[in-house]
Amino acid sequence: MNKYTNPFHDRAHSWADSLILEHYSVSELNFETVNHYRERFARVKPDHPWNGLETKEFLYKIGAWGKLRDSSKEGLTLAGLLMFSEERIITEVLPQYFLEYREHAERAEAGWTKRFTSQDGTWSGNVYDFYFRVLAEAERHVWSEEGRMVLREALVNALVHADYGEEGGIIVEKDGASFRFANPGRFRIPIEAAMAGQMSNLRNPNIFKMFLLIDVCKRAGSGLKRMSDGCGRTLAAPVDISQQTAPDRTIVTLCLLPFPEETSATIETGIDEVVQQIEQEWMESGELDRDENFVNNTPNSVTKLPNFVNNELNYVNSGSNFASKAENSVNSDANSMNISPNSVTKPPNSVSSAPNFVSNEIGIGGTDEEEEAVDERLWKMAELARRKKRLAPAVMEELIVRLCHERPLRLKELAALLERTPDGLRNNYLGKLLEEGKIRLQYPDQPNHPRQAYIGADKKQLGRHE
């Protein structure tokens, strides 16, 4: 029998996922997954000293690589294998390992409308990638940020508490308005204590640590309580938790509230019509002087003007008019973005009262009038988010993408436009949009660049400013 067949049972009195697999090296990992994790870590913790470490040392710091002090041997930890390897290699160590997501059709005889498993060969099959693949599918059916939070908590709870050596695997299932999260293994503390937020006895503390480091979850023991606290706002019924034996299994069921009528209508009509409606209101009020040269004056236009930021011939990064060199640059000490009377963070009307608020060090081509036109358009496009503090996630994501198509936008600029917190935007939207390839970084090779900005993904690469 493989000595690693069921380390969860063999090591009952120690942390199972810290088991060091001596014969499994870094070469057993899926490096696309590892790079994805490191990029997210760098976004969440841009100044962290671990960002500069080589791969193996970084994996050691997060608990994915282990060292046997008494024998000088080293290797992947079981947590590292589960999070970053591939299904075929993981099942060499844990034959029962299995992950699945499925959505039931409205008619039972129609089967599933969406399904993927760790065994289908179209992706890595590891725990980390499963988390983000499930979220990408499940969050399409959730209308509020609170609902997204509840889903994330339930999913990460299943992944960090699972007994990966037991049968049954981890199954996430959508059936109507309900989501079921089933994982092998039972809670190690009474359910009542877990629901009250008491410190959890984690089965997989290293997997939990890895998710914690990238802000996927909060402190140990808080997940079920956070789900329960959100019941009245986003759940139609209290969180249901059942535990089975032979084999041990935990099932958490969430029944989400339906889309509010107003939000459903917004999604059905689409973001295009919403943005056009807002623009029409502004035109009728006389506050928008829209002529034939207005930037993006057709609904789907992105780079219509000859002096638009993407036009290489007129790009102003090296010219005398580059925004960061100008007398009134937001980078100037006297007129710093965060202390200027026209600062983008000055409430409540800072952006609208400063029409050139986005003319920062990234630079925008064209005349002052064209720059102001872009600023005006950004402000008006984002009005929907400022009006509605509980926008459907799909609408907010589309709005962010469209804003980033207009010009490169920094996190603080997006936060000011949308009236959302920078952390909320980064954790709830920007990371997901980057992962899906809908936006990209202005400096993809330097996540911590001081002038980092987000760009619509189908725009041409802008010049780099070193």
Side-chain angles (χ1 to χ4, degrees):
M1 179 182 291
N2 187 324
K3 65 179 178 179
Y4 300 129
T5 294
N6 202 335
F8 286 85
H9 294 165
D10 295 342
R11 294 169 58 88
H13 301 293
S14 61
W15 298 123
D17 73 346
S18 66
L19 174 68
I20 297 173
L21 309 174
E22 298 176 44
H23 306 294
Y24 287 79
S25 68
V26 173
S27 63
E28 313 290 350
L29 301 181
N30 182 301
F31 278 92
E32 185 175 343
T33 305
V34 174
N35 291 337
H36 189 286
Y37 182 92
R38 295 203 66 168
E39 289 169 3
R40 185 178 178 94
F41 182 93
R43 290 198 302 271
V44 172
K45 303 179 184 300
D47 301 319
H48 202 288
W50 294 355
N51 286 319
L53 298 177
E54 295 184 354
T55 299
K56 185 181 290 187
E57 191 61 24
F58 178 83
L59 293 172
Y60 175 72
K61 294 290 189 182
I62 67 173
W65 185 262
K67 300 175 182 179
L68 296 171
R69 300 292 182 184
D70 56 347
S71 64
S72 299
K73 293 182 180 180
E74 53 187 306
L76 289 176
T77 63
L78 195 65
L81 189 80
L82 286 163
M83 284 286 279
F84 302 124
S85 190
E86 298 186 354
E87 187 270 345
R88 181 65 184 87
I89 299 171
I90 296 171
T91 53
E92 291 177 4
V93 178
L94 296 166
Q96 308 297 337
Y97 174 82
F98 180 71
L99 308 173
E100 180 178 8
Y101 174 80
R102 60 197 185 206
E103 296 179 7
H104 286 270
E106 292 186 7
R107 293 180 296 106
E109 61 272 18
W112 299 304
T113 58
K114 182 73 178 182
R115 181 175 183 258
F116 59 83
T117 77
S118 54
Q119 297 177 343
D120 63 34
T122 61
W123 58 292
S124 68
N126 61 46
V127 168
Y128 179 83
D129 288 341
F130 181 71
Y131 174 84
F132 286 102
R133 283 179 65 90
V134 169
L135 280 190
E137 295 297 335
E139 288 183 343
R140 294 186 296 107
H141 307 284
V142 182
W143 65 271
S144 68
E145 292 186 22
E146 290 91 343
R148 293 161 66 108
M149 179 275 292
V150 169
L151 278 181
R152 288 194 295 267
E153 294 288 355
L155 177 56
V156 80
N157 183 77
L159 296 174
V160 303
H161 287 289
D163 183 342
Y164 289 96
E166 276 284 5
E167 297 179 359
I170 296 175
I171 311 295
V172 180
E173 192 172 17
K174 180 187 180 297
D175 189 357
S178 296
F179 283 89
R180 284 186 290 273
F181 301 81
N183 64 268
R186 293 163 58 88
F187 277 100
R188 292 183 165 186
I189 62 174
I191 292 179
E192 295 76 13
M195 294 295 287
Q198 296 183 18
M199 185 62 68
S200 179
N201 186 354
L202 291 170
R203 182 173 279 110
N204 302 294
N206 283 294
I207 292 177
F208 174 78
K209 175 185 176 181
M210 292 178 208
F211 279 129
L212 183 68
L213 287 169
I214 57 173
D215 281 359
V216 162
C217 56
K218 305 299 180 184
R219 65 178 179 84
S222 66
L224 287 177
K225 186 176 188 304
R226 283 162 60 87
M227 282 188 278
S228 179
D229 290 345
C231 177
R233 297 186 302 272
T234 190
L235 299 180
V239 178
D240 180 71
I241 301 176
S242 63
Q243 299 197 87
Q244 303 173 355
T245 57
D248 289 349
R249 198 158 182 80
T250 299
I251 302 172
V252 175
T253 302
L254 308 176
C255 185
L256 297 176
L257 287 170
F259 278 65
E261 182 178 348
E262 181 181 13
T263 304
S264 298
T266 298
I267 293 176
E268 289 172 4
T269 57
I271 191 71
D272 276 328
E273 294 183 26
V274 174
V275 171
Q276 291 176 38
Q277 179 183 353
I278 292 171
E279 291 179 348
Q280 183 65 32
E281 291 173 1
W282 276 79
M283 284 190 291
E284 291 173 355
S285 69
E287 297 181 53
L288 176 60
D289 183 16
R290 177 179 174 129
D291 61 25
E292 61 181 1
N293 291 319
F294 185 70
V295 176
N296 271 358
N297 70 2
T298 57
N300 297 316
S301 171
V302 177
T303 57
K304 293 296 184 185
L305 284 184
N307 290 319
F308 191 72
V309 65
N310 274 345
N311 189 300
E312 294 180 0
L313 292 177
N314 296 312
Y315 197 62
V316 296
N317 289 352
S318 59
S320 59
N321 292 322
F322 181 53
S324 64
K325 296 179 181 179
E327 181 179 355
N328 296 317
S329 166
V330 292
N331 283 340
S332 169
D333 291 340
N335 296 306
S336 171
M337 177 180 288
N338 289 328
I339 61 175
S340 166
N342 292 326
S343 166
V344 297
T345 58
K346 179 183 176 183
N349 297 314
S350 58
V351 183
S352 60
S353 64
N356 60 346
F357 78 105
V358 292
S359 299
N360 61 18
E361 67 270 26
I362 297 171
I364 182 168
T367 66
D368 290 342
E369 290 79 9
E370 287 162 359
E371 292 176 13
E372 290 180 11
V374 174
D375 295 348
E376 291 260 6
R377 179 171 174 80
L378 288 169
W379 182 243
K380 293 166 183 54
M381 287 178 65
E383 183 173 341
L384 178 65
R386 297 192 301 275
R387 285 183 182 177
K388 298 179 180 293
K389 294 305 180 184
R390 293 190 177 183
L391 264 187
V395 174
M396 177 64 90
E397 290 170 7
E398 183 66 17
L399 188 50
I400 290 171
V401 170
R402 286 174 178 267
L403 290 170
C404 292
H405 273 306
E406 293 290 320
R407 59 152 355 278
L409 289 170
R410 299 179 68 185
L411 179 59
K412 287 184 178 180
E413 293 172 338
L414 281 168
L417 283 165
L418 300 166
E419 289 188 0
R420 299 296 194 273
T421 65
D423 285 345
L425 285 177
R426 181 171 50 227
N427 296 335
N428 296 328
Y429 300 105
L430 297 177
K432 180 173 181 287
L433 291 172
L434 285 167
E435 289 148 13
E436 294 175 351
K438 294 180 180 178
I439 60 174
R440 61 180 173 81
L441 295 177
Q442 170 78 359
Y443 301 93
D445 300 328
Q446 303 176 63
N448 306 325
H449 197 287
R451 297 193 295 273
Q452 190 61 270
Y454 299 92
I455 306 172
D458 63 349
K459 291 179 69 174
K460 295 179 181 178
Q461 181 73 27
L462 297 181
R464 301 286 179 85
H465 324 307
E466 304 302 338

